[in-house]
Amino acid sequence: MDARYDIAFKLYPYERVSEQSEPARRHDVVVVGGGPIGMAMALDLGRKGTPVLVLDDHEGVGQGSRAICFAKRTLEIADRLGAGQAMVDKGVVWNVGKVFHRDKKLFEFDLQPEAGHKHPAFINLQQPYFEKFLVDAIRKAQADGAPIEIRGRNAVTGVSQNGDHVVLDVNTPDGPYKIEADWLVACDGARSPVRDMLGLSFDGRVFEDNFLIADVKMTADFPSERWFWFEPTFKNSGQSALLHKQPDDIWRIDFQLGWDIDRKAELDPERVRTRIDAMLGPDATYELEWTSIYTFQCRRMKDFRHGNVLFAGDSAHQVSPFGARGANSGIQDIDNLAWKLDLVVKGRAPDSLLDSYSAERAYGADENILNSTRTTDFLTPKSEISQVFRDAVLNLAGRYTFARPLVNSGRLSTPCVYEDMPLNGPDALHGPMMTRVGAPCVDAPLLEGFLLDLLPDGFTVMTLNTQSPDILASNGLEINVLALETPRDDPTGALAQRYLGSYAQAVYLIRPDQHVAARWESCTAHMIQSALRTAIGQSAP
């Protein structure tokens, strides 16, 4: 039981359980990996009442900031899980980014220029805090009766599929034991041992470049913004640099080093300090907290479901850090998967519903990989003509607004819209594009609170300026009804703008993950029931 990394927060110390000396016990769902994706998966399932066991080979959260940029959609999901407010309270809120070329500011951008949202475009929060707040929410859910169990220092060493279940070999400080699972969710990272044990491929590209991350502790008067430099003028800074503020007076600095480097030499503290001194100035006072070097990689599995094993987060797909698409897309994975797996475990939907998880989130992964690849190609042009194009765009962007969208310092994470997917029902409203079928619901301020806070777990029929037809529970699914009127419940007009457009009324069917399943100007109960069957993968009766 060798430790792979040092612990920042010891959250689930090893405890021997009776199961270790008994015949293999069957579990409904086992999650392998206690990182942010695994903990969010367990929290979501447990809050729905589905028993879930988390196995992690350590006893808590690893050190190092790692993922730090968490997007608005991630915060909305975390809010639904009971962890969002703690993250926002601790995190550094930001909406504005600035782009520089050499020593000249080209332009700045605002990722959330409109009002009427509960959460900011992004917060910066070190990954250890993000994971800790999820575990804190799990402890609260457990106290309220949620069937969640976490076992630290339980390393999975073998996985085999056996018809309708999975058998796992688990090693602990007290020796090995076996468990069985109806469903296994692998959230064990980009080097996924579960994926390797099953002999599954992880195809994609490795880009010939290296980036140095340095977390420094200092008191500085830089604003809480994302600053990015192309070809910075400070000495030995490489081809690009990035500066971000984190909580606790920690600042993230990234330097693009190139491909042919001596990694050990580059991580020497004195060499790192030389680069930082050139950036911040010789009089800057700071402490080095953590350093690392990473290489851009864009990969994904062909399918995220293999029998009774499902892959989520970096175990299923990997993108470069620029654009903050790693952890954010992983949280969207569990948001998509948890409600489907919950219905399957409870016998309320066919297990073929889980195929839609792979289809929808592979679509999202491809979108992220495309954006990440384009960012990498812009940061490190691969041909002479690409270099000419990049340089021309940078030269124009400082003077002409048309060129600024072409500058790619990392297309920042946005939620995926599940276009033309099998679970989608009719879009008979043809209303605002932002809330079309397949899109995640856009938040809006109401007379009291915000819209997303009023969407409960489960499917919801939301009516605007009309009545919902009488809807009977279907296949054990209770349908929630949210009736809103404009302008009564819409003091700012944002609800009408985002959900009605030019229409006077509307009916929306909303999935448990807050994506729009169908919408109409008006509809019957039969139309809603038909769209609901489609949304849970059932064929028409």
Side-chain angles (χ1 to χ4, degrees):
M1 296 294 298
D2 294 331
R4 293 183 292 112
Y5 49 78
D6 295 328
I7 298 296
F9 301 114
K10 190 172 183 178
L11 300 175
Y12 32 90
Y14 171 75
E15 293 182 8
R16 182 179 175 84
V17 295
S18 61
E19 191 174 350
Q20 291 174 237
S21 55
E22 299 173 352
R25 186 184 304 172
R26 181 79 68 90
H27 294 263
D28 291 306
V29 180
V30 171
V31 173
V32 178
I37 313 308
M39 288 304 177
M41 185 74 207
L43 179 57
D44 205 349
L45 285 173
R47 284 168 58 95
K48 299 178 191 300
T50 291
V52 57
L53 167 65
V54 180
L55 301 177
D56 191 63
D57 59 358
H58 285 66
E59 295 179 301
V61 181
Q63 291 183 351
S65 61
R66 292 167 289 157
I68 64 166
C69 296
F70 294 99
K72 175 175 175 286
R73 182 62 195 146
T74 294
L75 298 176
E76 291 167 350
I77 295 167
D79 224 18
R80 179 176 62 78
L81 299 177
Q85 192 57 53
M87 295 173 181
V88 174
D89 289 345
K90 180 66 177 178
V92 173
V93 171
W94 68 278
N95 295 309
V96 174
K98 293 178 180 176
V99 178
F100 302 84
H101 184 209
R102 301 191 177 100
D103 58 355
K104 176 184 176 183
K105 189 181 86 168
L106 297 181
F107 61 93
E108 63 182 70
F109 55 86
D110 189 338
L111 293 168
Q112 191 160 284
E114 63 176 7
H117 296 270
K118 179 178 179 180
H119 291 297
F122 278 88
I123 64 166
N124 284 353
L125 180 70
Q126 295 94 323
Q127 184 173 324
Y129 283 121
F130 189 88
E131 293 184 36
K132 181 181 183 299
F133 293 141
L134 287 172
V135 175
D136 289 346
I138 286 175
R139 299 308 185 199
K140 183 178 184 303
Q142 288 173 323
D144 292 336
I148 307 170
E149 181 183 358
I150 306 172
R151 297 181 188 173
R153 295 198 76 188
N154 275 240
V156 175
T157 57
V159 176
S160 61
Q161 302 221 45
N162 188 1
D164 65 347
H165 67 281
V166 182
V167 179
L168 297 94
D169 295 302
V170 184
N171 196 25
T172 75
D174 290 319
Y177 71 109
K178 289 182 181 290
I179 62 174
E180 297 178 352
D182 290 335
W183 297 97
L184 172 63
V185 184
C187 304
D188 51 346
R191 295 183 177 90
S192 173
V194 171
R195 191 182 61 231
D196 290 344
M197 292 172 203
L198 293 175
L200 301 172
S201 62
F202 196 47
D203 300 323
R205 293 175 61 187
V206 176
F207 295 88
E208 294 186 355
D209 219 328
N210 292 286
F211 292 79
L212 171 69
I213 298 175
D215 280 355
V216 302
K217 185 176 182 64
M218 65 178 179
T219 302
D221 58 1
F222 299 121
S224 300
E225 300 171 345
R226 180 186 194 263
W227 287 8
F228 187 94
W229 287 264
F230 289 97
E231 300 177 337
T233 55
F234 20 93
K235 186 178 180 182
N236 295 324
S237 57
Q239 301 174 52
S240 67
L242 178 67
L243 179 67
H244 260 285
K245 185 178 181 180
Q246 304 175 63
D248 303 330
D249 291 326
I250 303 295
W251 294 78
R252 160 72 65 84
I253 302 174
D254 288 29
F255 296 107
Q256 183 180 356
L257 301 182
W259 180 242
D260 188 17
I261 65 168
D262 182 333
R263 295 172 71 92
K264 183 177 180 180
E266 293 294 352
L267 286 171
D268 179 82
E270 289 307 311
R271 191 157 183 166
V272 173
R273 284 183 175 278
T274 298
R275 294 184 187 278
I276 295 173
D277 289 345
M279 181 185 200
L280 301 179
D283 298 328
T285 302
Y286 60 88
E287 298 174 16
L288 270 181
E289 290 282 313
W290 179 72
T291 57
S292 180
I293 289 177
Y294 63 87
T295 301
F296 272 8
Q297 300 186 47
C298 290
R299 307 172 183 266
R300 82 163 173 89
M301 301 178 69
K302 182 180 179 182
D303 297 299
F304 296 176
R305 178 189 179 184
H306 289 265
N308 289 55
V309 182
L310 301 132
F311 292 83
D314 284 354
S315 71
H317 48 78
Q318 185 181 13
V319 294
S320 63
F322 280 97
R325 293 175 178 270
N328 287 297
S329 63
I331 294 295
Q332 290 181 52
D333 286 350
I334 66 93
D335 191 43
N336 185 289
L337 176 57
W339 70 270
K340 297 174 180 177
L341 187 54
D342 172 68
L343 293 182
V344 170
V345 169
K346 292 174 179 174
R348 296 173 183 169
D351 74 13
S352 58
L353 177 62
L354 298 174
D355 294 334
S356 73
Y357 161 69
S358 183
E360 290 181 342
R361 292 311 302 156
Y363 176 84
D366 286 342
E367 183 179 277
N368 286 323
I369 287 171
L370 176 63
N371 279 286
S372 189
T373 299
R374 286 174 173 171
T375 297
T376 306
D377 289 340
F378 194 85
L379 291 175
T380 56
K382 305 300 186 296
S383 66
E384 182 179 352
I385 193 62
S386 295
Q387 184 75 51
V388 170
F389 171 77
R390 203 281 297 269
D391 292 347
V393 167
L394 293 177
N395 287 331
L396 291 168
R399 294 172 290 157
Y400 302 105
T401 57
F402 81 87
R404 292 169 187 173
L406 301 175
V407 175
N408 195 334
S409 62
R411 296 279 186 259
L412 290 159
S413 176
T414 55
C416 181
V417 177
Y418 302 133
E419 303 273 15
D420 303 319
M421 289 290 160
L423 302 190
N424 289 358
D427 191 342
L429 183 68
H430 307 298
M433 282 292 289
M434 69 176 68
T435 49
R436 63 193 183 275
V437 171
C441 287
V442 180
D443 209 359
L446 303 179
L447 188 61
E448 296 184 10
F450 283 84
L451 174 62
L452 296 188
D453 290 338
L454 299 185
L455 296 179
D457 282 342
F459 282 88
T460 300
V461 172
M462 181 177 73
T463 63
L464 299 169
N465 302 332
T466 187
Q467 289 187 332
S468 170
D470 291 334
I471 307 167
L472 299 176
S474 175
N475 206 37
L477 295 177
E478 182 178 345
I479 311 302
N480 306 290
V481 176
L482 175 61
L484 299 172
E485 292 186 16
T486 63
R488 183 194 68 187
D489 300 312
D490 186 23
T492 67
L495 181 67
Q497 176 197 359
R498 294 167 190 176
Y499 287 89
L500 288 174
S502 61
Y503 288 82
Q505 64 181 49
V507 179
Y508 281 74
L509 177 62
I510 300 169
R511 303 185 339 180
D513 59 1
Q514 300 178 346
H515 280 253
V516 177
R519 63 179 183 173
W520 308 264
E521 184 178 6
S522 61
C523 65
T524 65
H526 174 75
M527 294 163 69
I528 293 175
Q529 293 283 9
S530 176
L532 179 63
R533 284 193 297 269
T534 298
I536 63 172
Q538 284 186 339
S539 57

